[in-house]
Amino acid sequence: MNHIIYMSRAVRPLSDQDLHELLEQCRRDNALHNVTGILFYSHGNIAQLIEGEPDIIGPLYEKIARDGRHSNVHKLADKPITERSFPGWSMAFHPLEPQGFHELTDFLLPEAVPESPSTLTIADALILDLVRQAVFNTERSASSAAPTLSSGGA
Amino acid sequence: MQHQQLQHILKHVPAGIATLLGPELRFSFANEAMQTLLGGKPLQDQKLADQVDILTPELVEVMQQVYQAGTQFVAKAYGLKHALSEAAEDEVPRYFDIALEPLKDEHDAVQGLLVFVLDVTQQALAQQRAHELARETRRLDARLRVLTETAPQIIFTVDAEGRFEYVSPQWYYFTGQPTTADLNLIWPLLIHPDDRLRVMYQSESARKAGVGWSYEYRLRRHDGQYRWMLSRALPELHVPDKPVFWHGAVTEVNDQRELSEALRRGEAELRFLADSIPQLIWTATSQGFIDYYNQHTLAYSGLSGEQLGPTGWISLLHPSEQNLGARRWVHSVATGEDYEGLFRMRRNDGEYRWHIIRARQLADSRGPRWFGSCTDVDDQHRLREVLQAQYDELARTNRDLDTFVYTASHDLKQPLHNLRGLFDELRRAATFQDEEASVMLEMLDDSLSQLDVTLQELAATVQEQRQLNVPAETIDLQSVTEEVLLGMRPQVQETNATIELNFAAAPKLLYGRANLRSVLHNLINNALKFASPLREPRICVSSALSETGKPLLRVEDNGLGMKPGDAGDGMFQVFDRQHPHIAGAGVGLYLLQRIVNSRGGHIEVDSTPGTGTRFTVYWFE
Ligand SMILES: Cc1cc2nc3c(=O)[nH]c(=O)nc-3n(C[C@H](O)[C@H](O)[C@H](O)COP(=O)(O)O)c2cc1C
């Protein structure tokens, strides 16, 4: 059993619709391949932890890293673990229109994300705490975020 | 049979063919195509003039003229507005080549016309498009030229052999070469000798491979300076042909290059420095992920950078401190506040050593980053622990001593009291014959009194000692001194002393009240006690600010004074007696010294035997 943690930037902000589609697709595919974990999204910042068998999540990570919806994919951890820390698959973000999301089982509001599980090593729990902070602490990340695309001009 | 075949062919030829006979130009033959062209109705014997709405009046007139003149005429790409060839509602004009051939009899007299109509709409449209394209191309070309000539870059086109096809005027401005210069000859010569071969090789291999390029090199500017340039070019592709031309631009990147060079150099120097320091040094991204550990960190931990990973340092901490360490780090990263803590860190041999971990956020051109260090303070820490243990031991001994002195003085009081009682009894009951007896009795009496005073002062010393830790308050010197003097009224009156108070320069003092009272009491008491029998005592008590602006207290007298050699520390030893004939003096000064020292101050003495003494209490220095 391995886990991988990475951070990335969305190429353009993901809409509720985009997130919903991603959620549906990941729920289906991850359940199929016994992949668990959590994804954080806010204002174009993305971080994700996936856990599963190395020959599943290795190629999955490669596929995700090549996904055109995001770039600057930066791996922070990729190592064997003794047990899973996440019972299922979930995504945490702030939808613009929260109504449709509350019923979804795999959806979490960022405030509702539990503490980093104690099954993680202290170093990995720290990574997860830091990425969560980097994704959701938008005021600070906004100032240090990648430059926004300028419109018009040559 | 042959005639029939001919008819058949004519009928199906994809061009309109018709013969018109007589001065009225009536249709005698029209093939299918012609019939369709003119609306699909049968044309046999129809007059040409009746077809004017399709064949335009102009064309009809030309046909009549051809008939009269008897010379052939060809109208090229003639537009017929309402071409009815395919769809009636098709409003698009169609174009035809129309050949008009006079039909003559054997006497060369014109009998009619042979009309041959060929639909050339496609060609005509193509031609029109070609024409428009040519115009557009000219326009684009002009625009491109303006662009290439106004852009700050040098724009160029080379062919597959590397010969310059075009270069924008900026090249001449930049290099300062005359417009007559042979580009192919000069350009390579202007490249920095160290870069020349590489550039030639890179450009040639790109051209051979049919791909673009992007490389940097130094080019000589008009002033002789070499400037870093970025050359980028892409082949003009017309698949499947091999590219023939490469178009590109050369941009000056000297400043960026120098900046990043300086950065790289700076970074390299810093790393070198960091790697040679026997300290744990690291840097982290603004998000809190370590991106560099110095050599010593790796040696100390016995782990590789990879094993440590972006947060691995936390697992080096003592397990009981990891949670705290992690929480603080998350907090620092969130707020940008400095990180500081004292932690035990595991060395490669498993020993935990105390470290001070410090990190500060610093913004450079790449945005904010964290710079951290872990300083091994294990030896200091252990030393401090030893010192602390010794200090505790000493304090305890001191306390025990105080208790002993207190108990001893207390316990001795009773026997002394008894002794005094017995002595008084003895004096009353017994009669002494001896002459010397009365002197000895007096001496005994004196000694007993002195012993009593000493015991009292000893007890007081210990008591004061216990009050050393009372909190400080702001005290009005005038009123507290008056209170103290009130308690000493008998001595003051007895000695007929004049006591002058002057606290104007520093009226208030932040101090322990009991301590202040003790100091005042002892100093004034001392002055009274060592008054000169030759003059009435004058004592002056005043406050002031020292040279460094801190408060001080002065007590001056005109008493006996002290021997100069004794004005040092010796005076303050317990039981040290300056004037052995005066009862109980040693303990008081010792006590004073301890009080003032314990609150961070000191006492100085100025004294001239026979003239007087001045005590200066520096409260806080
Ligand atoms: C931020 C992000 C996270 C993703 N996470 C997952 C995931 O956990 N599981 C998964 O199957 N696909 C994930 N995807 C989608 C994959 O990149 C890919 O689009 C998807 O697996 C469909 O691939 P396929 O077309 O090859 O089936 C993620 C995509 C993005 C942009």
Side-chain angles (χ1 to χ4, degrees):
Chain A
M1 189 90 66
N2 274 20
H3 79 189
I4 294 176
I5 308 174
Y6 73 83
M7 277 193 78
S8 63
R9 285 281 303 167
V11 169
R12 52 182 179 77
L14 298 178
S15 66
D16 280 4
Q17 172 74 15
D18 296 334
L19 289 164
H20 195 249
E21 277 169 20
L22 186 62
L23 182 67
E24 291 293 339
Q25 179 254 314
C26 289
R27 165 195 298 163
R28 195 182 56 240
D29 291 355
N30 290 350
L32 202 63
H33 297 110
N34 224 348
V35 172
T36 54
I38 191 160
L39 184 146
F40 302 141
Y41 175 84
S42 179
H43 293 81
N45 298 314
I46 298 170
Q48 191 179 11
L49 180 151
I50 45 177
E51 44 190 18
E53 291 309 322
D55 52 346
I56 297 284
I57 64 165
L60 173 61
Y61 172 77
E62 293 301 320
K63 186 161 74 177
I64 295 174
R66 282 195 308 268
D67 195 306
R69 285 171 279 186
H70 61 171
S71 65
N72 290 319
V73 184
H74 182 64
K75 201 196 270 182
L76 293 165
D78 183 354
K79 61 163 91 129
I81 48 172
T82 48
E83 55 178 320
R84 286 180 196 272
S85 296
F86 294 87
W89 160 258
S90 55
M91 265 171 77
F93 54 89
H94 281 293
L96 290 176
E97 223 18 90
Q99 276 85 336
F101 284 91
H102 286 315
E103 303 85 68
L104 295 174
T105 43
D106 303 332
F107 164 75
L108 286 172
L109 276 171
E111 301 82 78
V113 174
E115 292 271 292
S116 295
S118 57
T119 40
L120 289 173
T121 64
I122 183 96
D124 290 340
L126 182 54
I127 294 182
L128 201 61
D129 286 344
L130 289 172
V131 297
R132 178 175 30 196
Q133 181 164 282
V135 168
F136 294 124
N137 199 344
T138 46
E139 261 113 285
R140 278 175 58 75
S141 59
S143 60
S144 60
T148 45
L149 289 173
S150 57
S151 50
Chain B
M1 190 59 196
Q2 251 189 6
H3 179 71
Q4 239 174 21
Q5 255 178 2
L6 191 64
Q7 284 277 339
H8 186 77
I9 291 167
L10 284 175
K11 215 170 151 184
H12 295 290
V13 161
I17 299 172
T19 49
L20 301 164
L21 295 179
E24 284 182 324
L25 292 172
R26 282 180 188 275
F27 281 95
S28 92
F29 168 81
N31 73 347
E32 238 163 60
M34 182 62 87
Q35 222 167 3
T36 320
L37 179 70
L38 293 180
K41 298 182 291 271
L43 292 168
Q44 190 72 46
D45 287 334
Q46 296 286 318
K47 280 192 283 185
L48 175 70
D50 294 342
Q51 305 299 328
V52 73
D53 50 340
I54 292 175
L55 291 177
T56 75
E58 184 193 30
L59 182 61
V60 170
E61 196 179 323
V62 167
M63 289 166 88
Q64 277 157 353
Q65 280 174 16
V66 169
Y67 175 79
Q68 274 150 29
T71 51
Q72 62 144 217
F73 179 77
V74 178
K76 284 261 178 208
Y78 188 73
L80 292 181
K81 283 204 189 73
H82 302 283
L84 300 174
S85 51
E86 256 98 67
E89 61 273 22
D90 188 358
E91 288 285 321
V92 183
R94 299 187 67 84
Y95 297 91
F96 300 90
D97 282 355
I98 302 170
L100 304 172
E101 186 79 39
L103 286 173
K104 296 180 181 170
D105 60 11
E106 50 273 31
H107 307 293
D108 227 14
V110 179
Q111 288 186 314
L113 284 178
L114 173 64
V115 184
F116 191 86
V117 180
L118 188 65
D119 187 335
V120 294
T121 307
Q122 291 309 323
Q123 293 92 310
L125 284 180
Q127 210 169 30
Q128 234 172 46
R129 249 198 319 274
H131 182 67
E132 275 163 19
L133 271 178
R135 237 188 22 219
E136 177 71 5
T137 307
R138 269 199 304 279
R139 204 170 60 79
L140 283 178
D141 201 51
R143 190 161 73 183
L144 190 67
R145 197 158 281 269
V146 170
L147 280 176
T148 55
E149 295 185 1
T150 48
Q153 286 98 337
I154 298 167
I155 314 255
F156 62 84
T157 300
V158 291
D159 64 15
E161 273 70 55
R163 303 187 63 79
F164 285 97
E165 190 73 18
Y166 169 77
V167 64
S168 66
Q170 288 85 332
W171 187 84
Y172 299 97
Y173 303 146
F174 184 88
T175 60
Q177 295 292 320
T179 42
T180 51
D182 183 343
L183 229 56
N184 296 305
L185 222 63
I186 299 281
W187 194 322
L189 292 179
L190 295 177
I191 297 176
H192 192 284
D194 293 350
D195 300 334
R196 197 176 296 147
L197 199 65
R198 174 177 57 85
V199 167
M200 309 291 270
Y201 175 75
Q202 284 177 329
S203 115
E204 186 172 326
S205 34
R207 277 183 279 108
K208 279 226 177 83
V211 296
W213 68 73
S214 170
Y215 49 67
E216 292 180 15
Y217 64 86
R218 281 159 289 178
L219 185 65
R220 216 175 83 180
R221 199 166 60 180
H222 54 82
D223 59 358
Q225 256 200 59
Y226 283 102
R227 308 287 290 175
W228 278 101
M229 312 297 278
L230 167 68
S231 171
R232 285 162 57 88
L234 286 174
E236 182 187 323
L237 283 176
H238 302 286
V239 190
D241 298 336
K242 276 189 157 176
V244 178
F245 291 116
W246 276 255
H247 309 287
V250 178
T251 317
E252 187 176 336
V253 292
N254 208 63
D255 294 343
Q256 293 97 303
R257 175 100 183 189
E258 272 179 357
L259 196 68
S260 70
E261 190 79 346
L263 266 177
R264 244 200 314 270
R265 222 173 22 239
E267 177 95 11
E269 277 168 10
L270 253 155
R271 295 243 155 147
F272 178 75
L273 203 66
D275 278 340
S276 27
I277 293 178
Q279 271 227 22
L280 313 183
I281 308 264
W282 44 269
T283 63
T285 64
S286 63
Q287 297 157 335
F289 300 112
I290 310 259
D291 52 8
Y292 164 76
Y293 294 100
N294 76 336
Q295 212 55 48
H296 187 69
T297 308
L298 308 181
Y300 180 86
S301 64
L303 297 171
S304 68
E306 190 133 313
Q307 284 169 314
L308 278 169
T311 52
W313 61 277
I314 196 75
S315 48
L316 296 178
L317 301 194
H318 192 273
S320 66
E321 289 159 356
Q322 291 180 352
N323 268 322
L324 176 72
R327 258 205 319 280
R328 275 205 210 155
W329 180 235
V330 173
H331 174 79
S332 279
V333 170
T335 59
E337 284 169 21
D338 290 359
Y339 184 82
E340 176 147 2
L342 182 66
F343 296 105
R344 275 164 292 178
M345 295 186 83
R346 196 180 61 236
R347 196 165 57 184
N348 54 36
D349 60 1
E351 187 189 320
Y352 282 94
R353 293 180 63 82
W354 287 99
H355 283 79
I356 290 179
I357 305 186
R358 276 205 191 94
R360 293 204 319 139
Q361 206 186 33
L362 197 85
D364 66 8
S365 56
R366 285 158 296 180
R369 290 215 300 162
W370 287 92
F371 294 81
S373 68
C374 313
T375 314
D376 189 326
V377 291
D378 201 66
D379 295 340
Q380 288 98 304
H381 197 78
R382 277 179 212 285
L383 190 67
R384 220 189 60 192
E385 274 178 348
V386 170
L387 280 178
Q388 184 67 45
Q390 283 178 351
Y391 176 81
D392 290 348
E393 180 68 28
L394 266 175
R396 203 169 37 251
T397 316
N398 233 341
R399 251 192 333 271
D400 292 349
L401 254 173
D402 282 352
T403 312
F404 169 74
V405 170
Y406 186 71
T407 334
S409 64
H410 191 265
D411 290 354
L412 283 174
K413 236 179 210 156
Q414 195 54 41
L416 179 65
H417 192 70
N418 295 345
L419 207 56
R420 156 103 25 213
L422 281 173
F423 174 66
D424 289 347
E425 191 63 23
L426 184 69
R427 197 157 44 175
R428 217 160 2 95
T431 29
F432 297 93
Q433 302 303 330
D434 199 331
E435 278 284 300
E436 307 230 319
S438 67
V439 179
M440 282 178 55
L441 281 177
E442 196 133 321
M443 282 173 68
L444 193 57
D445 200 19
D446 267 359
S447 292
L448 277 177
S449 304
Q450 200 178 318
L451 190 57
D452 192 31
V453 170
T454 305
L455 281 181
Q456 271 177 28
E457 288 193 344
L458 267 178
T461 306
V462 178
Q463 212 123 41
E464 288 296 342
Q465 194 67 39
R466 296 194 168 154
Q467 286 175 354
L468 277 183
N469 300 326
V470 297
E473 53 186 306
T474 303
I475 302 163
D476 183 59
L477 283 168
Q478 181 76 27
S479 61
V480 84
T481 312
E482 280 167 4
E483 265 171 49
V484 169
L485 286 173
L486 211 61
M488 301 171 74
R489 206 150 56 187
Q491 290 111 293
V492 177
Q493 280 170 348
E494 193 182 315
T495 53
N496 209 5
T498 319
I499 297 179
E500 190 187 314
L501 306 183
N502 182 3
F503 300 114
K508 304 255 191 259
L509 179 69
L510 182 68
Y511 217 69
R513 181 175 289 273
N515 293 155
L516 177 59
R517 290 178 63 110
S518 284
V519 171
L520 285 165
H521 183 274
N522 268 291
L523 287 177
I524 296 169
N525 196 32
N526 220 49
L528 289 172
K529 215 181 290 177
F530 297 107
S532 167
L534 302 177
R535 48 188 176 264
E536 285 200 344
R538 285 184 66 84
I539 301 170
C540 174
V541 184
S542 62
S543 69
L545 292 179
S546 74
E547 276 171 15
T548 55
K550 305 232 172 74
L552 58 81
L553 178 82
R554 257 192 221 108
V555 178
E556 292 158 278
D557 65 44
N558 56 353
L560 294 170
M562 286 178 271
K563 278 176 274 153
D566 292 340
D569 287 347
M571 186 186 79
F572 294 114
Q573 297 301 311
V574 194
F575 308 127
D576 180 59
R577 301 282 302 273
Q578 271 283 328
H579 300 277
H581 60 282
I582 296 170
V587 181
L589 286 183
Y590 168 71
L591 175 67
L592 214 65
Q593 173 93 333
R594 277 192 75 172
I595 290 173
V596 175
N597 286 359
S598 76
R599 286 190 181 262
H602 75 282
I603 300 175
E604 281 176 12
V605 192
D606 271 318
S607 189
T608 317
T611 305
T613 305
R614 181 172 67 201
F615 282 88
T616 310
V617 181
Y618 294 89
W619 297 113
F620 303 114
E621 50 192 313

